[in-house]
Amino acid sequence: VVDKEGKILEMNDRGLGLIQAESLKEVKGVSVYDIVHEDDRQSFVELNEKVTNGEKVSLIFKIRGLKGRELYMETYAAPIRLPSGELGQIAVTNDITEKILKERELERQKALSLHQAKLASIGELAAGVGHEINNPLAIIKGYINSILKGDHKLPEKYIEKLNRIDRATDRITRIVKGLRTLSRSDDFNEEEFFPVLCIDDS
């Protein structure tokens, strides 16, 4: 039971245990807002305002106990007439930490499965695209090497252009290799892969 300002008036032994209090004396008159985690504090303040204005409200929120333990709670709150005549809040609150953690783990597993399915699709795509790209690249690179190593003398400006084309084919090869690495690994290093996508005319 809390009053309109959120001060704790009554709490049973189970509740005291959840907030890591030794006795009611330790928390009586203390603001319940101080126990509610800062991420959910405003929502709890709004809940108390609604209840002390006559509404019945429920809320899932996180608390931080007096000794630092964090738990997820679900509360069902209703107005109660206090001896002072004002409306306060009486609430039944349950510890749902285990339920929340299980739901989050399930969501994580679902996300992981979806991620792995996407990687498998990328792997199939990368294998097909890589094969189609590497074949013409090998031909281009072969012709370039043949021209550069030939007996005929080329102007310097053409030699430099051919060398730039040769470096570009090497870059494309690294990109294809990076895609294959991405498709096979969940923890590939993006910094190692993505720099090859940068345009460099040097």
Side-chain angles (χ1 to χ4, degrees):
V1 178
V2 300
D3 66 12
K4 194 168 186 176
E5 283 71 42
K7 292 180 181 178
I8 297 172
L9 303 179
E10 296 288 344
M11 186 176 289
N12 63 18
D13 291 341
R14 173 64 176 159
L16 293 170
L18 290 174
I19 67 170
Q20 299 178 294
E22 299 294 332
S23 66
L24 178 60
K25 184 178 179 181
E26 187 178 356
V27 294
K28 191 168 185 177
V30 172
S31 174
V32 72
Y33 304 142
D34 293 338
I35 299 169
V36 178
H37 193 279
E38 52 267 24
D39 292 345
D40 297 319
R41 193 167 294 155
Q42 185 56 38
S43 296
F44 197 91
V45 170
E46 292 171 3
L47 173 143
N48 197 45
E49 289 175 351
K50 289 179 180 179
V51 173
T52 53
N53 280 308
E55 297 182 44
K56 294 180 180 179
V57 186
S58 64
L59 179 70
I60 292 175
F61 63 100
K62 186 161 65 172
I63 67 168
R64 181 180 287 121
L66 302 183
K67 297 178 182 178
R69 181 179 64 188
E70 295 185 352
L71 297 173
Y72 289 93
M73 313 297 290
E74 184 172 27
T75 190
Y76 299 91
I80 183 174
R81 186 69 61 181
L82 301 175
S84 64
E86 293 183 346
L87 285 179
Q89 174 196 154
I90 183 168
V92 175
T93 304
N94 300 310
D95 177 7
I96 59 168
T97 305
E98 187 175 348
K99 175 186 174 183
I100 293 291
L101 294 180
K102 284 182 178 178
E103 288 176 352
R104 289 188 175 180
E105 176 60 20
L106 181 60
E107 288 300 317
R108 191 188 73 83
Q109 292 293 340
K110 286 181 179 178
L112 180 59
S113 296
L114 179 60
H115 179 62
Q116 289 173 337
K118 287 180 178 179
L119 286 176
S121 297
I122 292 173
E124 294 176 6
L125 177 63
V129 171
H131 178 74
E132 294 299 323
I133 291 176
N134 283 336
N135 284 342
L137 275 181
I139 295 172
I140 293 169
K141 196 169 183 65
Y143 277 127
I144 291 172
N145 289 333
S146 177
I147 294 170
L148 290 173
K149 293 178 181 178
D151 295 333
H152 44 274
K153 211 168 184 183
L154 293 173
E156 190 62 34
K157 64 177 182 179
Y158 292 131
I159 293 175
E160 176 56 28
K161 288 183 183 295
L162 288 169
N163 282 325
R164 290 176 63 181
I165 294 172
D166 189 50
R167 289 195 296 271
T169 60
D170 289 338
R171 186 178 299 128
I172 295 170
T173 300
R174 292 199 302 274
I175 291 172
V176 172
K177 184 179 179 182
L179 284 171
R180 288 176 172 174
T181 301
L182 167 63
S183 69
R184 292 194 300 266
S185 175
D186 289 348
D187 56 355
F188 80 108
N189 189 331
E190 294 185 12
E191 293 182 359
E192 292 179 0
F193 170 60
F194 285 109
V196 304
L197 299 178
C198 298
I199 297 174
D200 180 9
D201 290 329
S202 61

